[in-house]
Amino acid sequence: QVQLVESGGGLVQTGGSLRLSCEASVSIENIYNIGWYRQAPGNLRELVAAIFRDGNTNYADSVKGRFTISRDNAKNTVYLQMSSLKPEDTAVYYCKLRPNGFSSVAYWGQGTQVTVSS
């Protein structure tokens, strides 16, 4: 069973920065992709950023230029560096791992709360 543990959330002021970490219990070197999602109260869960096996990344328009996703295969960890944070970035942030692109099987972490005060 794949386990994902997120960390790094917290309370930050508008304009501040946070770095989230998602550590996997398995090697991520050949994983199809790992993504960061977020869900604010009353909202659907949405994709924030994803990184693929080949290193390609994609981002939600709302975070382009402010957030950066990266991976450290040696540590089985994916990071989300968040800068220029806004109150609307407030949400629970989850990471999701898809082992391969041919199956819908995916694993989720428990989430970490990010709160941006105005």
Side-chain angles (χ1 to χ4, degrees):
Q1 180 73 10
V2 176
Q3 293 185 330
L4 302 171
V5 178
E6 300 102 333
S7 61
L11 174 64
V12 64
Q13 292 184 333
T14 296
S17 299
L18 282 174
R19 188 178 78 157
L20 305 183
S21 300
C22 172
E23 183 176 1
S25 61
V26 297
S27 171
I28 65 170
E29 185 171 1
N30 294 308
I31 292 297
Y32 173 65
N33 77 8
I34 298 180
W36 282 99
Y37 291 72
R38 66 186 180 188
Q39 187 167 20
N43 290 0
L44 296 175
R45 193 170 296 188
E46 63 176 359
L47 175 67
V48 176
I51 188 164
F52 291 80
R53 181 187 297 124
D54 60 5
N56 284 337
T57 58
N58 62 32
Y59 296 90
D61 288 343
S62 59
V63 306
K64 283 181 181 177
R66 300 188 298 123
F67 290 11
T68 302
I69 189 169
S70 62
R71 60 195 291 168
D72 184 337
N73 290 343
K75 296 182 178 180
N76 296 328
T77 299
V78 173
Y79 303 98
L80 184 68
Q81 178 67 48
M82 307 186 293
S83 302
S84 302
L85 284 162
K86 306 174 182 179
E88 50 264 44
D89 294 318
T90 295
V92 179
Y93 284 70
Y94 301 88
C95 64
K96 173 187 175 183
L97 183 153
R98 284 187 64 193
N100 67 70
F102 303 102
S103 168
S104 62
V105 171
Y107 301 91
W108 291 88
Q110 81 289 350
T112 185
Q113 176 71 47
V114 171
T115 303
V116 184
S117 63
S118 57

